[in-house]
Amino acid sequence: MAIQVTIGILALQGAFAEHHAAILRLSLPVRPVVVLVRTPEELAVCDGLIIPGGESTTIALLARLSGLLEPLREFVKIKPVWGTCAGAILLAQSVVGAKRGGQELLQGISISIARNGWGSQVESFEVPLHVEGMKDSETPFIGVFIRAPVVLELSRSSKDTPIQVLARLPAELLPPALSGLDDTDPKTIVALRQGHHLLTTFHPELTPDDRFHEYFVRHCVLSTI
């Protein structure tokens, strides 16, 4: 029997259309079905989920209004989720710099994260990244950072699944807000994996390079089916 895989993209706010296009471009032995998730019923059919960049507080509010917040928390416990930028904030265990009223989180990955850690939108930047385990890893992946969050701490306990760091910002390419850090500081981490969850603080969907999308489907989702 042929394997079928369904990738959901949370489509409440943010760059969900770009993720959709990237998944459709993939060339894999199993062609994913893509669902734009706006209801609990749509979430229920998914084998994995992408939470896009956008505005994390707005996404969380819309998820609550759509009846999706608690289903998302249950989904994160059992199925693969990839959070990019705002999605990375939602996946974190805790957040620093939340807006007034707080920030609802899914707490799927054992990290503490800070909103807008690189500064304002005018301080956005692009940088070549070397990503562990990625196809053609000798070819850098261009990370697009737009008001990106910053990983503050790996807060994994002894009971948690180990965290694998996939990519860091090279020390010589750190933006002014983080200058002076060495390459072991958690703040230099821009991509990581914990179990079947993936987190990137930048926007892979804003480039024509689909290797992160392939990595998520191949290594995080298909490995659980």
Side-chain angles (χ1 to χ4, degrees):
M1 179 182 294
I3 296 175
Q4 179 174 307
V5 59
T6 300
I7 303 297
I9 303 170
L10 191 62
L12 301 175
Q13 191 262 348
F16 57 86
E18 290 82 356
H19 279 291
H20 189 182
I23 293 291
L24 293 180
R25 289 194 300 262
L26 295 181
S27 178
L28 293 168
V30 178
R31 185 169 183 82
V33 175
V34 184
V35 174
L36 295 179
V37 174
R38 297 184 176 95
T39 68
E41 293 75 20
E42 290 164 340
L43 179 65
V45 304
C46 297
D47 299 302
L49 180 72
I50 298 171
I51 304 177
E55 210 294 314
S56 59
T57 308
T58 301
I59 294 173
L61 175 60
L62 293 174
R64 179 170 288 284
L65 294 174
S66 303
L68 266 168
L69 195 59
E70 292 309 318
L72 282 168
R73 285 175 172 149
E74 292 303 312
F75 189 96
V76 164
K77 293 177 183 178
I78 58 174
K79 292 186 178 180
V81 179
W82 173 20
T84 67
C85 198
I89 294 171
L90 291 170
L91 266 185
Q93 193 78 29
S94 63
V95 62
V96 172
K99 286 187 175 180
R100 183 182 231 172
Q103 168 77 67
E104 305 234 45
L105 301 173
L106 303 179
Q107 298 183 316
I109 292 183
S110 305
I111 63 166
S112 175
I113 202 164
R115 288 167 47 95
N116 300 340
W118 310 106
S120 67
Q121 187 147 337
V122 297
E123 295 169 293
S124 301
F125 62 98
E126 298 182 7
V127 66
L129 302 170
H130 291 280
V131 184
E132 182 179 337
M134 176 172 281
K135 184 175 75 173
D136 301 328
S137 59
E138 68 282 359
T139 301
F141 189 99
I142 303 303
V144 179
F145 293 80
I146 303 172
R147 296 179 63 198
V150 168
V151 175
L152 298 178
E153 182 183 7
L154 306 183
S155 50
R156 184 180 66 85
S157 74
S158 60
K159 297 178 181 179
D160 292 336
T161 304
I163 291 175
Q164 178 186 6
V165 175
L166 301 180
R168 291 180 180 267
L169 278 179
E172 68 274 14
L173 297 178
L174 286 171
L178 297 180
S179 61
L181 299 180
D182 63 46
D183 58 9
T184 64
D185 194 292
K187 296 183 185 70
T188 65
I189 298 171
V190 295
L192 60 83
R193 178 178 175 182
Q194 185 174 28
H196 47 239
H197 295 331
L198 181 64
L199 181 149
T200 53
T201 63
F202 53 96
H203 289 268
E205 76 282 3
L206 298 184
T207 79
D209 189 337
D210 300 326
R211 286 179 292 165
F212 259 105
H213 291 81
E214 179 175 342
Y215 181 97
F216 177 64
V217 175
R218 188 185 294 274
H219 297 290
C220 298
V221 181
L222 287 176
S223 63
T224 67
I225 296 177

